[in-house]
Amino acid sequence: MTAHPMETTTGIITGSDLLAMGDIGPCELIDGVIVRKSPTGGIHGFLESRLDRRLGAFVENTKAGWCLVGEIGIYIRHDPDRIRGADLAFWSHAKLPDGPPAGFVEVAPDLVVEILSPTDSWADMSQKIDDCFSISVGTLWIVDPEEETVFVYRSAAQRTALRSGDTLAGTGPLTGFTLPVSELFAI
């Protein structure tokens, strides 16, 4: 997900307003302002697809919950509304007992996965990390294709870097999921 702040509206937009606009392309709502995102590149799409196939299959086989992809809108707060997109996110059945909602999700995911694009800055990502943990996201994985590294966050201050030779492992409802980092990045 590549951030290019281009304010495209005037006045404060709510999450309901944004949802009613339909598909306006990749964006997030930051304190009532639409922030456009540019489309992702090939490696980003490949990694998102690979993670979804692997994690999604695990989630379906274990009936652990719901694995969603495609810049899923997650409420961070209201008034002014802040909605962040996630490349991939997982909710246990305990968090979403009735399944995914039709609109943006109001419940913090157990896991958020973000894949860095070449133009993503760590300053912007730092704000997104803070946003995730402000709503009690369980775990955050930041996938860095350039460094072939997965940063696993258990809090905004607790980070582990996994590289080739390491294995990415699920926790909580995702216990039992594993993916060698070298397999994730293998082309």
Side-chain angles (χ1 to χ4, degrees):
M1 176 179 59
T2 307
H4 294 287
M6 296 186 301
E7 296 180 18
T8 59
T9 58
T10 57
I12 299 297
I13 301 297
T14 67
S16 296
D17 296 335
L18 180 60
L19 191 60
M21 291 177 188
D23 186 2
I24 63 169
C27 66
E28 291 181 323
L29 188 63
I30 305 299
D31 301 335
V33 177
I34 295 174
V35 178
R36 298 252 182 220
K37 307 281 182 190
S38 48
T40 62
I43 294 297
H44 185 289
F46 170 80
L47 291 170
E48 186 174 332
S49 176
R50 177 166 281 165
L51 274 168
D52 178 49
R53 285 192 320 267
R54 299 285 179 92
L55 186 61
F58 175 85
V59 167
E60 284 188 27
N61 290 337
T62 61
K63 300 186 183 340
W66 314 100
C67 195
L68 308 177
V69 297
E71 291 301 315
I72 301 307
I74 303 163
Y75 272 98
I76 303 300
R77 67 174 168 255
H78 290 279
D79 199 21
D81 290 358
R82 180 174 285 209
I83 299 170
R84 290 292 196 164
D87 291 321
L88 184 147
F90 164 79
W91 286 265
S92 64
H93 284 291
K95 289 197 169 201
L96 286 180
D98 298 325
F104 302 126
V105 185
E106 297 261 2
V107 178
D110 295 274
L111 171 69
V112 168
V113 179
E114 283 298 321
I115 301 165
L116 294 177
S117 295
T119 56
D120 283 334
S121 75
W122 274 103
D124 290 339
M125 194 54 60
S126 177
Q127 180 59 56
K128 195 163 197 174
I129 292 165
D130 289 344
D131 282 347
C132 283
F133 289 107
S134 76
I135 62 167
S136 300
V137 165
T139 304
L140 172 63
W141 297 345
I142 297 181
V143 178
D144 185 342
E146 204 170 289
E147 299 295 324
E148 294 191 355
T149 301
V150 179
F151 297 99
V152 177
Y153 287 82
R154 306 251 187 262
S155 72
Q158 183 184 6
R159 178 179 97 167
T160 303
L162 302 177
R163 295 179 177 81
S164 183
D166 295 323
T167 298
L168 186 59
T171 59
L174 295 174
T175 298
F177 172 78
T178 60
L179 176 61
V181 172
S182 59
E183 284 184 29
L184 172 62
F185 293 107
I187 303 283

mmCIF file of all heavy atoms in Angstrom, residues 88-135:
data_model
loop_
_atom_site.group_PDB
_atom_site.id
_atom_site.type_symbol
_atom_site.label_atom_id
_atom_site.label_comp_id
_atom_site.label_asym_id
_atom_site.label_seq_id
_atom_site.Cartn_x
_atom_site.Cartn_y
_atom_site.Cartn_z
ATOM 1 N N LEU A 88 -4.089 -7.610 4.542
ATOM 2 C CA LEU A 88 -4.692 -8.863 4.979
ATOM 3 C C LEU A 88 -4.991 -8.711 6.461
ATOM 4 O O LEU A 88 -4.206 -8.096 7.185
ATOM 5 C CB LEU A 88 -3.720 -10.019 4.731
ATOM 6 C CG LEU A 88 -4.213 -11.421 5.050
ATOM 7 C CD1 LEU A 88 -3.596 -12.417 4.085
ATOM 8 C CD2 LEU A 88 -3.883 -11.823 6.456
ATOM 9 N N ALA A 89 -6.103 -9.260 6.906
ATOM 10 C CA ALA A 89 -6.425 -9.226 8.334
ATOM 11 C C ALA A 89 -7.184 -10.497 8.700
ATOM 12 O O ALA A 89 -7.870 -11.088 7.863
ATOM 13 C CB ALA A 89 -7.255 -7.994 8.678
ATOM 14 N N PHE A 90 -7.027 -10.905 9.950
ATOM 15 C CA PHE A 90 -7.691 -12.104 10.463
ATOM 16 C C PHE A 90 -8.461 -11.757 11.723
ATOM 17 O O PHE A 90 -7.955 -11.060 12.599
ATOM 18 C CB PHE A 90 -6.658 -13.199 10.784
ATOM 19 C CG PHE A 90 -7.230 -14.280 11.659
ATOM 20 C CD1 PHE A 90 -8.036 -15.270 11.128
ATOM 21 C CD2 PHE A 90 -6.995 -14.279 13.027
ATOM 22 C CE1 PHE A 90 -8.589 -16.257 11.944
ATOM 23 C CE2 PHE A 90 -7.541 -15.255 13.850
ATOM 24 C CZ PHE A 90 -8.341 -16.246 13.303
ATOM 25 N N TRP A 91 -9.714 -12.245 11.776
ATOM 26 C CA TRP A 91 -10.561 -12.140 12.964
ATOM 27 C C TRP A 91 -10.973 -13.541 13.378
ATOM 28 O O TRP A 91 -11.447 -14.317 12.538
ATOM 29 C CB TRP A 91 -11.832 -11.344 12.677
ATOM 30 C CG TRP A 91 -11.651 -9.885 12.552
ATOM 31 C CD1 TRP A 91 -11.809 -8.951 13.534
ATOM 32 C CD2 TRP A 91 -11.303 -9.144 11.377
ATOM 33 N NE1 TRP A 91 -11.583 -7.683 13.041
ATOM 34 C CE2 TRP A 91 -11.256 -7.788 11.713
ATOM 35 C CE3 TRP A 91 -11.011 -9.527 10.058
ATOM 36 C CZ2 TRP A 91 -10.949 -6.796 10.795
ATOM 37 C CZ3 TRP A 91 -10.690 -8.546 9.149
ATOM 38 C CH2 TRP A 91 -10.670 -7.192 9.517
ATOM 39 N N SER A 92 -10.851 -13.852 14.653
ATOM 40 C CA SER A 92 -11.340 -15.129 15.171
ATOM 41 C C SER A 92 -12.865 -15.103 15.217
ATOM 42 O O SER A 92 -13.484 -14.035 15.172
ATOM 43 C CB SER A 92 -10.777 -15.380 16.571
ATOM 44 O OG SER A 92 -11.263 -14.375 17.462
ATOM 45 N N HIS A 93 -13.459 -16.276 15.325
ATOM 46 C CA HIS A 93 -14.913 -16.361 15.484
ATOM 47 C C HIS A 93 -15.368 -15.628 16.740
ATOM 48 O O HIS A 93 -16.458 -15.064 16.771
ATOM 49 C CB HIS A 93 -15.370 -17.826 15.544
ATOM 50 C CG HIS A 93 -15.366 -18.489 14.211
ATOM 51 N ND1 HIS A 93 -16.250 -18.173 13.207
ATOM 52 C CD2 HIS A 93 -14.571 -19.461 13.697
ATOM 53 C CE1 HIS A 93 -16.007 -18.913 12.143
ATOM 54 N NE2 HIS A 93 -14.995 -19.705 12.411
ATOM 55 N N ALA A 94 -14.520 -15.618 17.771
ATOM 56 C CA ALA A 94 -14.884 -14.913 19.007
ATOM 57 C C ALA A 94 -15.062 -13.420 18.756
ATOM 58 O O ALA A 94 -15.920 -12.777 19.368
ATOM 59 C CB ALA A 94 -13.824 -15.144 20.084
ATOM 60 N N LYS A 95 -14.277 -12.854 17.834
ATOM 61 C CA LYS A 95 -14.365 -11.416 17.552
ATOM 62 C C LYS A 95 -15.452 -11.084 16.535
ATOM 63 O O LYS A 95 -16.049 -10.015 16.596
ATOM 64 C CB LYS A 95 -13.017 -10.889 17.087
ATOM 65 C CG LYS A 95 -12.005 -10.835 18.215
ATOM 66 C CD LYS A 95 -10.847 -9.954 17.838
ATOM 67 C CE LYS A 95 -9.995 -9.702 19.060
ATOM 68 N NZ LYS A 95 -9.187 -8.520 18.897
ATOM 69 N N LEU A 96 -15.667 -11.961 15.577
ATOM 70 C CA LEU A 96 -16.703 -11.764 14.555
ATOM 71 C C LEU A 96 -17.569 -13.021 14.485
ATOM 72 O O LEU A 96 -17.500 -13.790 13.518
ATOM 73 C CB LEU A 96 -16.086 -11.475 13.180
ATOM 74 C CG LEU A 96 -15.478 -10.111 12.930
ATOM 75 C CD1 LEU A 96 -14.923 -10.015 11.515
ATOM 76 C CD2 LEU A 96 -16.463 -8.993 13.190
ATOM 77 N N PRO A 97 -18.405 -13.267 15.502
ATOM 78 C CA PRO A 97 -19.178 -14.509 15.538
ATOM 79 C C PRO A 97 -20.170 -14.654 14.380
ATOM 80 O O PRO A 97 -20.504 -15.775 13.989
ATOM 81 C CB PRO A 97 -19.911 -14.442 16.877
ATOM 82 C CG PRO A 97 -19.892 -13.011 17.282
ATOM 83 C CD PRO A 97 -18.682 -12.405 16.654
ATOM 84 N N ASP A 98 -20.609 -13.536 13.806
ATOM 85 C CA ASP A 98 -21.576 -13.582 12.705
ATOM 86 C C ASP A 98 -20.914 -13.446 11.337
ATOM 87 O O ASP A 98 -21.597 -13.280 10.329
ATOM 88 C CB ASP A 98 -22.632 -12.490 12.883
ATOM 89 C CG ASP A 98 -23.431 -12.673 14.160
ATOM 90 O OD1 ASP A 98 -23.690 -13.835 14.536
ATOM 91 O OD2 ASP A 98 -23.770 -11.660 14.800
ATOM 92 N N GLY A 99 -19.602 -13.481 11.305
ATOM 93 C CA GLY A 99 -18.891 -13.344 10.040
ATOM 94 C C GLY A 99 -18.586 -11.896 9.721
ATOM 95 O O GLY A 99 -18.950 -10.980 10.459
ATOM 96 N N PRO A 100 -17.915 -11.678 8.600
ATOM 97 C CA PRO A 100 -17.542 -10.324 8.211
ATOM 98 C C PRO A 100 -18.760 -9.456 7.916
ATOM 99 O O PRO A 100 -19.726 -9.927 7.323
ATOM 100 C CB PRO A 100 -16.716 -10.534 6.932
ATOM 101 C CG PRO A 100 -16.309 -11.967 6.959
ATOM 102 C CD PRO A 100 -17.390 -12.695 7.678
ATOM 103 N N PRO A 101 -18.726 -8.177 8.326
ATOM 104 C CA PRO A 101 -19.835 -7.273 8.031
ATOM 105 C C PRO A 101 -19.789 -6.803 6.579
ATOM 106 O O PRO A 101 -18.762 -6.921 5.913
ATOM 107 C CB PRO A 101 -19.579 -6.101 8.985
ATOM 108 C CG PRO A 101 -18.094 -6.079 9.141
ATOM 109 C CD PRO A 101 -17.659 -7.526 9.098
ATOM 110 N N ALA A 102 -20.883 -6.251 6.126
ATOM 111 C CA ALA A 102 -20.936 -5.717 4.766
ATOM 112 C C ALA A 102 -20.093 -4.450 4.630
ATOM 113 O O ALA A 102 -19.507 -4.196 3.582
ATOM 114 C CB ALA A 102 -22.379 -5.425 4.373
ATOM 115 N N GLY A 103 -20.024 -3.641 5.685
ATOM 116 C CA GLY A 103 -19.282 -2.386 5.651
ATOM 117 C C GLY A 103 -17.903 -2.522 6.279
ATOM 118 O O GLY A 103 -17.343 -3.616 6.374
ATOM 119 N N PHE A 104 -17.371 -1.396 6.700
ATOM 120 C CA PHE A 104 -16.073 -1.393 7.351
ATOM 121 C C PHE A 104 -16.183 -2.100 8.701
ATOM 122 O O PHE A 104 -17.231 -2.080 9.345
ATOM 123 C CB PHE A 104 -15.568 0.039 7.539
ATOM 124 C CG PHE A 104 -15.456 0.801 6.242
ATOM 125 C CD1 PHE A 104 -16.083 2.026 6.086
ATOM 126 C CD2 PHE A 104 -14.744 0.295 5.171
ATOM 127 C CE1 PHE A 104 -16.000 2.744 4.888
ATOM 128 C CE2 PHE A 104 -14.646 0.983 3.970
ATOM 129 C CZ PHE A 104 -15.276 2.213 3.841
ATOM 130 N N VAL A 105 -15.094 -2.707 9.130
ATOM 131 C CA VAL A 105 -15.116 -3.523 10.343
ATOM 132 C C VAL A 105 -14.861 -2.639 11.562
ATOM 133 O O VAL A 105 -13.914 -1.859 11.590
ATOM 134 C CB VAL A 105 -14.076 -4.654 10.268
ATOM 135 C CG1 VAL A 105 -14.194 -5.578 11.475
ATOM 136 C CG2 VAL A 105 -14.240 -5.460 8.974
ATOM 137 N N GLU A 106 -15.709 -2.795 12.561
ATOM 138 C CA GLU A 106 -15.626 -2.000 13.797
ATOM 139 C C GLU A 106 -14.855 -2.710 14.903
ATOM 140 O O GLU A 106 -14.643 -2.143 15.963
ATOM 141 C CB GLU A 106 -17.039 -1.691 14.309
ATOM 142 C CG GLU A 106 -17.869 -0.856 13.376
ATOM 143 C CD GLU A 106 -17.899 0.611 13.751
ATOM 144 O OE1 GLU A 106 -17.243 1.015 14.711
ATOM 145 O OE2 GLU A 106 -18.598 1.356 13.053
ATOM 146 N N VAL A 107 -14.447 -3.952 14.676
ATOM 147 C CA VAL A 107 -13.798 -4.780 15.693
ATOM 148 C C VAL A 107 -12.323 -4.945 15.330
ATOM 149 O O VAL A 107 -11.987 -5.215 14.171
ATOM 150 C CB VAL A 107 -14.482 -6.168 15.765
ATOM 151 C CG1 VAL A 107 -13.793 -7.064 16.768
ATOM 152 C CG2 VAL A 107 -15.964 -6.018 16.071
ATOM 153 N N ALA A 108 -11.446 -4.810 16.312
ATOM 154 C CA ALA A 108 -10.003 -4.955 16.077
ATOM 155 C C ALA A 108 -9.677 -6.379 15.647
ATOM 156 O O ALA A 108 -10.141 -7.343 16.260
ATOM 157 C CB ALA A 108 -9.227 -4.607 17.342
ATOM 158 N N PRO A 109 -8.875 -6.537 14.602
ATOM 159 C CA PRO A 109 -8.472 -7.879 14.175
ATOM 160 C C PRO A 109 -7.500 -8.522 15.172
ATOM 161 O O PRO A 109 -6.808 -7.839 15.920
ATOM 162 C CB PRO A 109 -7.757 -7.643 12.847
ATOM 163 C CG PRO A 109 -8.026 -6.238 12.461
ATOM 164 C CD PRO A 109 -8.378 -5.502 13.709
ATOM 165 N N ASP A 110 -7.447 -9.842 15.108
ATOM 166 C CA ASP A 110 -6.424 -10.571 15.850
ATOM 167 C C ASP A 110 -5.061 -10.358 15.192
ATOM 168 O O ASP A 110 -4.039 -10.338 15.872
ATOM 169 C CB ASP A 110 -6.745 -12.079 15.853
ATOM 170 C CG ASP A 110 -8.024 -12.391 16.596
ATOM 171 O OD1 ASP A 110 -7.956 -12.551 17.820
ATOM 172 O OD2 ASP A 110 -9.093 -12.459 15.955
ATOM 173 N N LEU A 111 -5.066 -10.232 13.862
ATOM 174 C CA LEU A 111 -3.832 -10.073 13.090
ATOM 175 C C LEU A 111 -4.070 -9.099 11.949
ATOM 176 O O LEU A 111 -5.086 -9.184 11.255
ATOM 177 C CB LEU A 111 -3.389 -11.423 12.504
ATOM 178 C CG LEU A 111 -2.241 -11.392 11.491
ATOM 179 C CD1 LEU A 111 -0.918 -11.016 12.155
ATOM 180 C CD2 LEU A 111 -2.123 -12.733 10.774
ATOM 181 N N VAL A 112 -3.121 -8.186 11.759
ATOM 182 C CA VAL A 112 -3.089 -7.324 10.579
ATOM 183 C C VAL A 112 -1.763 -7.589 9.873
ATOM 184 O O VAL A 112 -0.722 -7.704 10.520
ATOM 185 C CB VAL A 112 -3.188 -5.824 10.955
ATOM 186 C CG1 VAL A 112 -2.867 -4.930 9.762
ATOM 187 C CG2 VAL A 112 -4.574 -5.506 11.491
ATOM 188 N N VAL A 113 -1.812 -7.694 8.536
ATOM 189 C CA VAL A 113 -0.611 -7.855 7.724
ATOM 190 C C VAL A 113 -0.517 -6.683 6.770
ATOM 191 O O VAL A 113 -1.476 -6.382 6.054
ATOM 192 C CB VAL A 113 -0.631 -9.177 6.923
ATOM 193 C CG1 VAL A 113 0.636 -9.300 6.074
ATOM 194 C CG2 VAL A 113 -0.788 -10.375 7.844
ATOM 195 N N GLU A 114 0.611 -6.022 6.786
ATOM 196 C CA GLU A 114 0.902 -4.930 5.863
ATOM 197 C C GLU A 114 2.136 -5.299 5.052
ATOM 198 O O GLU A 114 3.128 -5.766 5.612
ATOM 199 C CB GLU A 114 1.169 -3.622 6.610
ATOM 200 C CG GLU A 114 -0.075 -2.952 7.125
ATOM 201 C CD GLU A 114 -1.033 -2.554 6.019
ATOM 202 O OE1 GLU A 114 -0.597 -2.093 4.943
ATOM 203 O OE2 GLU A 114 -2.241 -2.728 6.231
ATOM 204 N N ILE A 115 2.069 -5.090 3.754
ATOM 205 C CA ILE A 115 3.203 -5.344 2.867
ATOM 206 C C ILE A 115 3.714 -4.002 2.386
ATOM 207 O O ILE A 115 2.958 -3.205 1.824
ATOM 208 C CB ILE A 115 2.784 -6.241 1.688
ATOM 209 C CG1 ILE A 115 2.240 -7.567 2.229
ATOM 210 C CG2 ILE A 115 3.958 -6.458 0.737
ATOM 211 C CD1 ILE A 115 1.474 -8.395 1.229
ATOM 212 N N LEU A 116 4.982 -3.741 2.637
ATOM 213 C CA LEU A 116 5.559 -2.454 2.261
ATOM 214 C C LEU A 116 5.710 -2.346 0.750
ATOM 215 O O LEU A 116 6.097 -3.300 0.085
ATOM 216 C CB LEU A 116 6.935 -2.277 2.906
ATOM 217 C CG LEU A 116 6.982 -2.171 4.420
ATOM 218 C CD1 LEU A 116 8.436 -2.067 4.890
ATOM 219 C CD2 LEU A 116 6.180 -0.983 4.911
ATOM 220 N N SER A 117 5.404 -1.176 0.238
ATOM 221 C CA SER A 117 5.665 -0.821 -1.149
ATOM 222 C C SER A 117 6.910 0.057 -1.165
ATOM 223 O O SER A 117 7.259 0.652 -0.145
ATOM 224 C CB SER A 117 4.474 -0.076 -1.738
ATOM 225 O OG SER A 117 3.346 -0.914 -1.790
ATOM 226 N N PRO A 118 7.567 0.172 -2.313
ATOM 227 C CA PRO A 118 8.807 0.961 -2.364
ATOM 228 C C PRO A 118 8.659 2.402 -1.890
ATOM 229 O O PRO A 118 9.608 2.988 -1.381
ATOM 230 C CB PRO A 118 9.213 0.907 -3.841
ATOM 231 C CG PRO A 118 8.589 -0.346 -4.352
ATOM 232 C CD PRO A 118 7.300 -0.502 -3.584
ATOM 233 N N THR A 119 7.476 2.988 -2.033
ATOM 234 C CA THR A 119 7.303 4.385 -1.631
ATOM 235 C C THR A 119 6.746 4.556 -0.218
ATOM 236 O O THR A 119 6.549 5.679 0.226
ATOM 237 C CB THR A 119 6.380 5.121 -2.627
ATOM 238 O OG1 THR A 119 5.150 4.409 -2.708
ATOM 239 C CG2 THR A 119 7.030 5.216 -4.003
ATOM 240 N N ASP A 120 6.465 3.457 0.484
ATOM 241 C CA ASP A 120 6.011 3.566 1.869
ATOM 242 C C ASP A 120 7.152 4.074 2.741
ATOM 243 O O ASP A 120 8.281 3.612 2.617
ATOM 244 C CB ASP A 120 5.557 2.200 2.421
ATOM 245 C CG ASP A 120 4.191 1.787 1.918
ATOM 246 O OD1 ASP A 120 3.388 2.672 1.579
ATOM 247 O OD2 ASP A 120 3.924 0.569 1.877
ATOM 248 N N SER A 121 6.838 4.999 3.609
ATOM 249 C CA SER A 121 7.853 5.491 4.538
ATOM 250 C C SER A 121 7.630 4.855 5.900
ATOM 251 O O SER A 121 6.502 4.536 6.280
ATOM 252 C CB SER A 121 7.783 7.019 4.658
ATOM 253 O OG SER A 121 6.661 7.388 5.440
ATOM 254 N N TRP A 122 8.711 4.695 6.643
ATOM 255 C CA TRP A 122 8.588 4.142 7.993
ATOM 256 C C TRP A 122 7.894 5.140 8.913
ATOM 257 O O TRP A 122 7.273 4.748 9.893
ATOM 258 C CB TRP A 122 9.937 3.694 8.549
ATOM 259 C CG TRP A 122 10.237 2.285 8.114
ATOM 260 C CD1 TRP A 122 11.093 1.896 7.126
ATOM 261 C CD2 TRP A 122 9.650 1.074 8.623
ATOM 262 N NE1 TRP A 122 11.072 0.526 6.987
ATOM 263 C CE2 TRP A 122 10.200 -0.003 7.908
ATOM 264 C CE3 TRP A 122 8.712 0.801 9.607
ATOM 265 C CZ2 TRP A 122 9.840 -1.327 8.147
ATOM 266 C CZ3 TRP A 122 8.364 -0.521 9.842
ATOM 267 C CH2 TRP A 122 8.923 -1.571 9.119
ATOM 268 N N ALA A 123 7.942 6.413 8.595
ATOM 269 C CA ALA A 123 7.218 7.403 9.409
ATOM 270 C C ALA A 123 5.714 7.173 9.278
ATOM 271 O O ALA A 123 4.988 7.143 10.282
ATOM 272 C CB ALA A 123 7.580 8.820 8.978
ATOM 273 N N ASP A 124 5.226 6.975 8.041
ATOM 274 C CA ASP A 124 3.810 6.678 7.839
ATOM 275 C C ASP A 124 3.445 5.333 8.458
ATOM 276 O O ASP A 124 2.383 5.178 9.064
ATOM 277 C CB ASP A 124 3.456 6.668 6.350
ATOM 278 C CG ASP A 124 3.492 8.048 5.723
ATOM 279 O OD1 ASP A 124 3.397 9.049 6.467
ATOM 280 O OD2 ASP A 124 3.613 8.132 4.483
ATOM 281 N N MET A 125 4.321 4.350 8.298
ATOM 282 C CA MET A 125 4.060 3.025 8.848
ATOM 283 C C MET A 125 4.033 3.075 10.374
ATOM 284 O O MET A 125 3.229 2.386 11.005
ATOM 285 C CB MET A 125 5.103 2.023 8.357
ATOM 286 C CG MET A 125 4.727 0.588 8.592
ATOM 287 S SD MET A 125 3.109 0.070 7.929
ATOM 288 C CE MET A 125 3.281 0.377 6.202
ATOM 289 N N SER A 126 4.858 3.915 10.960
ATOM 290 C CA SER A 126 4.873 4.055 12.420
ATOM 291 C C SER A 126 3.516 4.535 12.928
ATOM 292 O O SER A 126 3.016 4.049 13.948
ATOM 293 C CB SER A 126 5.976 5.024 12.834
ATOM 294 O OG SER A 126 5.964 5.211 14.218
ATOM 295 N N GLN A 127 2.894 5.474 12.216
ATOM 296 C CA GLN A 127 1.559 5.952 12.601
ATOM 297 C C GLN A 127 0.533 4.838 12.462
ATOM 298 O O GLN A 127 -0.344 4.678 13.301
ATOM 299 C CB GLN A 127 1.147 7.160 11.753
ATOM 300 C CG GLN A 127 -0.218 7.693 12.100
ATOM 301 C CD GLN A 127 -0.352 8.135 13.558
ATOM 302 O OE1 GLN A 127 0.426 8.965 14.015
ATOM 303 N NE2 GLN A 127 -1.299 7.579 14.286
ATOM 304 N N LYS A 128 0.662 4.031 11.414
ATOM 305 C CA LYS A 128 -0.264 2.919 11.216
ATOM 306 C C LYS A 128 -0.076 1.868 12.318
ATOM 307 O O LYS A 128 -1.052 1.285 12.797
ATOM 308 C CB LYS A 128 -0.066 2.302 9.839
ATOM 309 C CG LYS A 128 -1.200 1.418 9.424
ATOM 310 C CD LYS A 128 -1.183 1.165 7.934
ATOM 311 C CE LYS A 128 -2.510 0.648 7.466
ATOM 312 N NZ LYS A 128 -2.582 0.533 6.027
ATOM 313 N N ILE A 129 1.157 1.627 12.721
ATOM 314 C CA ILE A 129 1.437 0.699 13.825
ATOM 315 C C ILE A 129 0.750 1.205 15.092
ATOM 316 O O ILE A 129 0.061 0.451 15.784
ATOM 317 C CB ILE A 129 2.961 0.541 14.030
ATOM 318 C CG1 ILE A 129 3.584 -0.187 12.847
ATOM 319 C CG2 ILE A 129 3.267 -0.178 15.354
ATOM 320 C CD1 ILE A 129 5.106 -0.073 12.779
ATOM 321 N N ASP A 130 0.942 2.484 15.381
ATOM 322 C CA ASP A 130 0.289 3.070 16.566
ATOM 323 C C ASP A 130 -1.228 2.942 16.475
ATOM 324 O O ASP A 130 -1.891 2.620 17.468
ATOM 325 C CB ASP A 130 0.682 4.538 16.727
ATOM 326 C CG ASP A 130 2.129 4.720 17.170
ATOM 327 O OD1 ASP A 130 2.747 3.747 17.646
ATOM 328 O OD2 ASP A 130 2.640 5.850 17.030
ATOM 329 N N ASP A 131 -1.788 3.201 15.285
ATOM 330 C CA ASP A 131 -3.237 3.080 15.100
ATOM 331 C C ASP A 131 -3.708 1.654 15.381
ATOM 332 O O ASP A 131 -4.721 1.449 16.058
ATOM 333 C CB ASP A 131 -3.656 3.494 13.688
ATOM 334 C CG ASP A 131 -3.717 4.988 13.492
ATOM 335 O OD1 ASP A 131 -3.672 5.743 14.494
ATOM 336 O OD2 ASP A 131 -3.813 5.424 12.323
ATOM 337 N N CYS A 132 -2.987 0.678 14.868
ATOM 338 C CA CYS A 132 -3.386 -0.725 15.079
ATOM 339 C C CYS A 132 -3.421 -1.067 16.564
ATOM 340 O O CYS A 132 -4.396 -1.641 17.052
ATOM 341 C CB CYS A 132 -2.421 -1.667 14.355
ATOM 342 S SG CYS A 132 -2.688 -1.746 12.570
ATOM 343 N N PHE A 133 -2.386 -0.704 17.285
ATOM 344 C CA PHE A 133 -2.338 -1.083 18.690
ATOM 345 C C PHE A 133 -3.226 -0.198 19.565
ATOM 346 O O PHE A 133 -3.604 -0.600 20.657
ATOM 347 C CB PHE A 133 -0.899 -1.169 19.176
ATOM 348 C CG PHE A 133 -0.206 -2.370 18.589
ATOM 349 C CD1 PHE A 133 0.753 -2.220 17.603
ATOM 350 C CD2 PHE A 133 -0.562 -3.649 18.985
ATOM 351 C CE1 PHE A 133 1.352 -3.338 17.023
ATOM 352 C CE2 PHE A 133 0.032 -4.772 18.414
ATOM 353 C CZ PHE A 133 0.989 -4.613 17.429
ATOM 354 N N SER A 134 -3.639 0.956 19.042
ATOM 355 C CA SER A 134 -4.576 1.796 19.800
ATOM 356 C C SER A 134 -5.948 1.138 19.897
ATOM 357 O O SER A 134 -6.725 1.461 20.796
ATOM 358 C CB SER A 134 -4.696 3.188 19.177
ATOM 359 O OG SER A 134 -5.501 3.153 18.003
ATOM 360 N N ILE A 135 -6.256 0.210 18.984
ATOM 361 C CA ILE A 135 -7.537 -0.503 19.031
ATOM 362 C C ILE A 135 -7.359 -1.953 19.483
ATOM 363 O O ILE A 135 -8.270 -2.756 19.354
ATOM 364 C CB ILE A 135 -8.292 -0.440 17.688
ATOM 365 C CG1 ILE A 135 -7.498 -1.095 16.560
ATOM 366 C CG2 ILE A 135 -8.686 0.987 17.354
ATOM 367 C CD1 ILE A 135 -8.287 -1.349 15.281
#
